């Protein structure tokens, strides 16, 4: 029974525990930050130095400047979802391009779901908690996508709870536009 008590065995205790966790997530208005303190600093005051070092490295792109005159908004940006300590320079190259183009109102983040279950993709209306405060979700856009996608667009929403691929992007966006981050 020790493994059952520790929720390491499938069974009634595990299913009840899982239902409680999923219900807590469903009832929360935000997707809580799960990587603060492990993948990036927990304290928002430490994040600028942590992220800026990737811009400043020899293989980095240099510190982002002002918006380039006549810069058109980027339509797409391919950014890794790897741990920041290993992929930080790649993030810096991508986000420098975004920061120097026209500031987006909304950023659509297509994150990899490492723990998805049934659906091809899943949406959430939740704002994402970050060390800089919540990144607001463009609920109107999410609802338009959901209407086009049909039933099932939110069926696997729980996979957002621990998924890192979107959270890391929100930290970069919050860092670059601390005063007024775009919606996601």
């Amino acid at each position: 029974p020790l493994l059952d008590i520790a929720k390491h065995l499938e069974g009634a205790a595990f299913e009840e525990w899982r239902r409680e966790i999923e219900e807590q997530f469903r009832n929360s208005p935000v997707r809580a930050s799960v990587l603060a303190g492990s993948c990036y600093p927990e304290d928002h005051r430490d994040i600028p130095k942590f992220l800026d070092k990737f811009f400043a490295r020899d293989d980095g792109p240099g510190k982002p400047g002002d918006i380039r005159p006549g810069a058109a908004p980027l339509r797409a940006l391919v950014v890794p979802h790897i741990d920041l300590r290993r992929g930080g320079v790649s993030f810096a190259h991508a986000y420098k391009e975004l920061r120097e183009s026209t500031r987006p109102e909304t950023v659509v983040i297509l994150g990899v779901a490492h723990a998805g279950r049934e659906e091809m993709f899943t949406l959430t209306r939740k704002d994402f908690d970050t060390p800089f405060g919540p990144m607001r979700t463009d609920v109107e856009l999410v609802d338009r996508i959901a209407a086009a996608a049909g039933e099932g667009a939110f069926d696997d929403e729980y996979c957002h709870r621990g998924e890192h691929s979107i959270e890391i992007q929100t930290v970069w966006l919050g860092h670059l536009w601390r005063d007024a981050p775009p919606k996601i």
Side-chain angles (χ1 to χ4, degrees):
L2 184 59
L3 291 176
D4 193 36
I5 292 169
K7 315 299 186 280
H8 291 297
L9 294 177
E10 286 188 27
F14 175 81
E15 289 303 320
E16 178 61 28
W17 175 71
R18 181 175 159 207
R19 275 192 295 277
E20 288 174 14
I21 291 172
E22 287 181 3
E23 187 67 23
Q24 288 172 358
F25 179 77
R26 259 191 305 281
N27 292 332
S28 175
V30 298
R31 187 281 196 177
S33 171
V34 296
L35 298 175
S38 63
C39 184
Y40 56 85
E42 188 165 8
D43 190 325
H44 73 279
R45 294 171 292 192
D46 298 332
I47 293 175
K49 182 179 178 183
F50 174 75
L51 295 180
D52 286 345
K53 73 179 180 186
F54 297 118
F55 290 112
R57 284 182 27 173
D58 288 343
D59 54 349
K63 185 175 179 176
D66 294 330
I67 294 173
R68 292 184 305 271
L74 290 180
R75 298 287 181 211
L77 190 65
V78 178
V79 183
H81 73 278
I82 194 167
D83 179 272
L84 289 171
R85 288 174 175 82
R86 290 181 281 163
V89 171
S90 294
F91 283 98
H93 279 277
Y95 278 103
K96 179 178 170 128
E97 289 297 316
L98 182 61
R99 183 65 174 99
E100 292 177 352
S101 71
T102 303
R103 182 191 170 279
E105 287 185 39
T106 299
V107 175
V108 177
I109 303 171
L110 303 176
V112 175
H114 295 87
R117 295 187 293 210
E118 299 292 325
E119 300 298 324
M120 177 72 78
F121 66 91
T122 187
L123 300 171
T124 187
R125 292 183 183 98
K126 294 181 184 299
D127 294 333
F128 278 64
D129 191 26
T130 76
F132 299 110
M135 289 287 298
R136 302 286 178 208
T137 295
D138 187 336
V139 175
E140 182 180 313
L141 178 58
V142 168
D143 286 343
R144 288 192 347 244
I145 295 169
E151 291 186 42
F154 297 95
D155 287 356
D156 287 341
E157 183 178 20
Y158 179 72
C159 76
H160 282 283
R161 179 179 176 264
E163 182 52 58
H164 68 271
S165 62
I166 294 174
E167 180 175 342
I168 292 172
Q169 310 307 325
T170 66
V171 172
W172 280 94
L173 292 167
H175 172 57
L176 293 177
W177 286 288
R178 284 188 292 274
D179 53 336
K183 289 183 180 180
I184 59 170

